[in-house]
Amino acid sequence: MPNDFRFGVSLRAAESQAQVSDDARRAEDLGFDVIHVPDHLGAPAPFPTLTTAANATKTLRIGTFVLNACFYKPALLARDVVALRDLSGGRLDLGLGAGYVREEFEAAELPFPSARERIDYLRRMTEYLREQAPDVPILIAGNGDRLLTVAAETADIVGLTGGGGVDGDPLAERIAFLRTAAGDRFDGLELNIAITAVPAPGAELPDLSIPRHFLPHLDDEQLLRHPGVLSGSVPAMADRIRELRETYGITYFIVQGAHTETFAKVIAELR
């Protein structure tokens, strides 16, 4: 399994070409490896935004975290993926997910398939893109058995959620499942986790509103122990990142745009 850290950051907004370019250059200067754009209606359109970020930088990779595969037809998405790969000089990491927000499907005037159907379509999409753009690394993010099986069998990078359980070690259990599903592929997978809470500058406790939204059954103490939450001083956060690598083999960490400046200090501690 790769041992070198990689660090990504979500783009804060896309209000103008200048703002996207400035944020991308700032991320590159601060030591981030990848800048990401999500795929939600009401958020910036991923491909034009990432093209702008790529044009403003030299080494920063660009990525989707993650595209809703069900929003696209394979041939049309492959056309955009190949174009963005070429326009960025081969710096694209393609993140894919099965989609989960019913209201977005309705707003897009698309049917909302069952979870099984969405995951089956994700597999079909991934296999098609493998044929059309084999040199573009694919990240698949999720938590359930069927989705992690698709990731284990087809992805280069697996985005883990950290699990939502209270007892035991949910992250270790998910990685054990992934290892079994991947078989001989496991050692070549890059393991990723999205950090959704980081203390503001000068604070040691983070704002837990994002993890609380996705994990409403966990109390604050449990959320602070979650792998996707960082707390404490900069050295303490760096130690926690090292612990996640040493214990679980996770080497790729993505933070929210609002955490850019604080987490850049953590990166400096780790490199």
Side-chain angles (χ1 to χ4, degrees):
M1 185 173 297
N3 291 317
D4 292 338
F5 285 123
R6 284 212 301 161
F7 301 108
V9 60
S10 294
L11 190 70
R12 301 182 207 211
E15 298 170 354
S16 67
Q17 179 183 11
Q19 177 259 308
V20 171
S21 298
D22 288 347
D23 282 359
R25 283 190 289 265
R26 182 66 174 153
E28 185 174 57
D29 291 344
L30 288 172
F32 286 93
D33 302 289
V34 192
I35 194 163
H36 290 274
V37 173
D39 187 23
H40 293 289
L41 294 184
F47 287 101
T49 304
L50 289 172
T51 301
T52 300
N55 287 339
T57 55
K58 296 179 180 178
T59 61
L60 189 72
R61 295 189 67 82
I62 55 174
T64 53
F65 195 87
V66 290
L67 290 184
N68 179 345
C70 295
F71 277 1
Y72 304 89
K73 295 296 185 182
L76 298 179
L77 180 57
R79 178 181 64 176
D80 286 350
V81 167
V82 168
L84 184 53
R85 176 201 65 191
D86 295 344
L87 292 172
S88 67
R91 288 186 278 150
L92 174 63
D93 289 351
L94 183 68
L96 296 170
Y100 63 93
V101 183
R102 177 187 290 272
E103 292 78 9
E104 292 192 1
F105 282 81
E106 293 172 350
E109 300 183 16
L110 293 170
F112 184 62
S114 68
R116 176 177 290 274
E117 290 170 331
R118 298 195 307 274
I119 293 170
D120 286 346
Y121 190 81
L122 172 64
R123 178 186 287 277
R124 176 188 166 199
M125 178 69 80
T126 304
E127 291 172 349
Y128 185 89
L129 291 169
R130 278 280 183 225
E131 295 176 358
Q132 301 300 314
D135 55 338
V136 175
I138 293 178
L139 177 153
I140 292 179
N143 190 62
D145 287 359
R146 293 192 73 248
L147 193 145
L148 282 181
T149 299
V150 173
E153 295 174 354
T154 65
D156 303 290
I157 310 160
V158 180
L160 300 156
T161 68
V166 176
D167 300 321
D169 189 338
L171 179 57
E173 187 278 327
R174 292 288 76 194
I175 294 174
F177 178 90
L178 181 69
R179 180 186 293 274
T180 299
D184 293 342
R185 294 189 81 244
F186 183 79
D187 286 343
L189 295 177
E190 183 179 32
L191 301 186
N192 159 270
I193 196 163
I195 304 295
T196 58
V198 174
E204 294 206 351
L205 290 177
D207 178 355
L208 295 173
S209 57
I210 295 179
R212 188 181 291 118
H213 172 76
F214 290 102
L215 300 166
H217 58 289
L218 300 187
D219 61 31
D220 285 5
E221 182 179 348
Q222 292 164 337
L223 288 173
L224 287 170
R225 295 198 301 269
H226 190 272
V229 173
L230 295 179
S231 60
S233 64
V234 168
M237 288 189 281
D239 286 342
R240 176 60 169 155
I241 295 295
R242 292 188 189 98
E243 179 186 5
L244 289 169
R245 179 177 66 176
E246 292 163 7
T247 303
Y248 303 103
I250 299 170
T251 57
Y252 182 15
F253 299 86
I254 297 171
V255 299
Q256 307 302 301
H259 306 148
T260 301
E261 304 297 329
T262 298
F263 197 75
K265 298 176 183 178
V266 178
I267 294 174
E269 286 272 335
L270 293 165
R271 287 179 167 164

